Amino acid sequence: QKEVEQNSGPLSVPEGAIASLNCTYSDRVSQSFFWYRQYSGKSPELIMSIYSNGDKEDGRFTAQLNKASQYVSLLIRDSQPSDSATYLCAVLAALGNYGGSQGNLIFGKGTKLSVKP
Amino acid sequence: EPEVTQTPSHQVTQMGQEVILRCVPISNHLYFYWYRQILGQKVEFLVSFYNNEISEKSEIFDDQFSVERPDGSNFTLKIRSTKLEDSAMYFCASSELGGGNYNEQFFGPGTRLTVL
């Protein structure tokens, strides 16, 4: 059973601080990783994708990937109250042992982030 | 900015009835998906669809479910003989690419299905 694990939180940070969200995945041949933001009662909104080891920055967001440790993280700099949401880590399901994709996303349960003014 | 749309936003039905959930994927996307999220639980994959046929399906997607692309824009999920446990948010998603890396999937706003 392919799994994606996240700390459910809630993670509470003060406005302006860095929020750090973590995710681990079980299938070592997975190649593609995504972070979605989900406001309460709304649909997942794609905020970052990452495919290579290392860091990828987009505005206030930085995704970090370590395939050897099967670990993905998301850093949110200068956190704002509007960042308060649940952050979903998603992994593209790998097909067989070669890392090709089946096309479906496996989601973690999400980490609830609360940014306090 | 192009987006995935879904109708209806909320569907209430009686147990045992059939429902059809509708989606219009982003126009240049070729791969379509249905996911569901039971309240308080993970987003779960149901089915993927490409070139007018199912590419992958999960264990959840049994004979009760079917998908169809009836025309050039709509993508539907039919649930026959609904059960109480089918109550969930159903999300449609689409991607330009699929079956490989860089498969960024964009989600519609969802249909909340309530089975009474």
Side-chain angles (χ1 to χ4, degrees):
Chain A
Q1 184 79 3
K2 299 172 183 177
E3 296 284 342
V4 176
E5 298 292 338
Q6 296 181 255
N7 187 327
S8 61
L11 173 66
S12 184
V13 300
E15 184 174 356
I18 296 175
S20 177
L21 305 160
N22 305 314
C23 170
T24 58
Y25 59 94
S26 63
D27 193 345
R28 65 178 180 81
V29 298
S30 295
Q31 298 292 326
S32 304
F33 308 88
F34 306 88
W35 283 98
Y36 286 83
R37 177 173 62 197
Q38 187 176 32
Y39 293 111
S40 182
K42 302 296 185 182
S43 63
E45 174 191 3
L46 180 65
I47 53 173
M48 288 286 285
S49 57
I50 187 165
Y51 312 109
S52 303
N53 279 328
D55 294 0
K56 179 182 177 184
E57 188 173 317
D58 184 0
R60 295 187 295 113
F61 298 99
T62 298
Q64 299 173 316
L65 174 60
N66 183 327
K67 291 183 182 178
S69 300
Q70 295 175 230
Y71 178 88
V72 193
S73 66
L74 179 71
L75 300 178
I76 307 174
R77 289 181 299 282
D78 188 24
S79 296
Q80 302 297 309
S82 58
D83 295 326
S84 298
T86 297
Y87 288 80
L88 309 179
C89 174
V91 176
L92 200 59
L95 183 64
N97 297 319
Y98 303 101
S101 170
Q102 294 179 171
N104 54 292
L105 294 171
I106 303 170
F107 281 86
K109 198 169 181 181
T111 298
K112 187 171 184 178
L113 173 67
S114 177
V115 181
K116 303 294 186 185
Chain B
E1 186 172 325
E3 58 184 20
V4 177
T5 60
Q6 290 185 243
T7 54
S9 57
H10 192 187
Q11 175 85 51
V12 180
T13 190
Q14 295 291 324
M15 189 168 55
Q17 296 298 303
E18 176 182 286
V19 295
I20 297 176
L21 311 183
R22 292 182 168 80
C23 167
V24 179
I26 295 172
S27 62
N28 65 329
H29 285 187
L30 302 177
Y31 297 82
F32 315 125
Y33 312 85
W34 284 101
Y35 292 82
R36 79 173 185 188
Q37 187 176 31
I38 296 170
L39 187 64
Q41 298 189 23
K42 296 182 182 183
V43 177
E44 302 173 289
F45 169 74
L46 294 178
V47 65
S48 61
F49 191 85
Y50 169 70
N51 200 26
N52 282 319
E53 60 182 29
I54 291 173
S55 304
E56 297 291 336
K57 59 182 181 179
S58 70
E59 293 176 352
I60 303 168
F61 194 88
D62 59 20
D63 293 342
Q64 184 193 4
F65 295 88
S66 62
V67 289
E68 189 180 29
R69 186 154 166 85
D71 54 44
S73 59
N74 288 283
F75 178 51
T76 62
L77 173 69
K78 181 188 291 185
I79 310 175
R80 286 180 284 274
S81 190
T82 50
K83 299 177 278 200
L84 295 176
E85 54 264 39
D86 294 328
S87 295
M89 280 288 282
Y90 288 81
F91 297 113
C92 174
S94 69
S95 65
E96 188 175 0
L97 304 174
N101 293 336
Y102 318 115
N103 181 2
E104 292 188 337
Q105 298 183 21
F106 297 89
F107 282 67
T111 294
R112 179 172 299 283
L113 177 64
T114 303
V115 182
L116 302 175

